[in-house]
Amino acid sequence: DAKTTQPTSMDCAEGRAANLPCNHSTISGNEYVYWYRQIHSQGPQYIIHGLKNNETNEMASLIITEDRKSSTLILPHATLRDTAVYYCIVDLRSGGSNYKLTFGKGTLLTVNP
Amino acid sequence: EADIYQTPRYLVIGTGKKITLECSQTMGHDKMYWYQQDPGMELHLIHYSYGVNSTEKGDLSSESTVSRIRTEHFPLTLESARPSHTSQYLCASHRAGRPRNEQFFGPGTRLTVL
């Protein structure tokens, strides 16, 4: 399975965009990029996913490079409630038999007032 | 909105006691999971199930056991709790298929073994 690399921590000012990078240089052609977040003491929550096109939903945008070796999660207007650990995961295959998630260390995003 | 429940939310118990952590989901999901997470550390998969009467060990070895007699219920049992079992236990269920595969997590059970 592909392994991801994320910065340990990042800071962002409230109201500004938060850009969280993720490297996944060994991703295979049929693997998706998923992002989850975990607010303190709660269970992780799905945010967004993509294969090779950029994606946007009500929570965030996902930008995947053309070679698919890295991606960026964008929270366009960060709020204090976005403070959480953000996980980038690439070992979940849509429709495949492997439905397990492997969480790494993630990035602790702290949104400051 | 995810409908997955865990009880108790907090449990403090003495060494040697038998405990069962409950997890239920009302979404009809076939796949369910148990994760263990120490404070400030990574989540580790300890058990999973692909359906009724299916249970598998996860990536992290655990002394706990699980059962899956009904689709909606996936309890985790520790026969004899020890201080090393102190941790947070998170249950999840899986929604498969397009447009996305997604795991829904419960609120967790924070276990302290004295």
Side-chain angles (χ1 to χ4, degrees), chain B residues 13-83:
Chain B
I13 201 163
T15 297
K17 298 293 186 183
K18 177 180 179 179
I19 60 171
T20 297
L21 308 184
E22 302 288 348
C23 175
S24 296
Q25 51 94 7
T26 58
M27 298 172 283
H29 292 171
D30 286 341
K31 299 169 184 62
M32 296 188 72
Y33 309 82
W34 277 102
Y35 293 85
Q36 183 176 344
Q37 185 177 36
D38 293 333
M41 305 298 284
E42 300 175 44
L43 286 95
H44 292 287
L45 180 68
I46 53 174
H47 298 284
Y48 60 100
S49 167
Y50 285 152
V52 171
N53 295 325
S54 154
T55 60
E56 302 288 343
K57 291 194 177 295
D59 303 322
L60 179 69
S61 176
S62 173
E63 294 171 344
S64 58
T65 59
V66 293
S67 62
R68 191 84 184 279
I69 299 173
R70 303 198 318 264
T71 297
E72 63 272 22
H73 196 213
F74 191 40
L76 180 145
T77 299
L78 278 165
E79 290 293 333
S80 179
R82 296 207 299 267

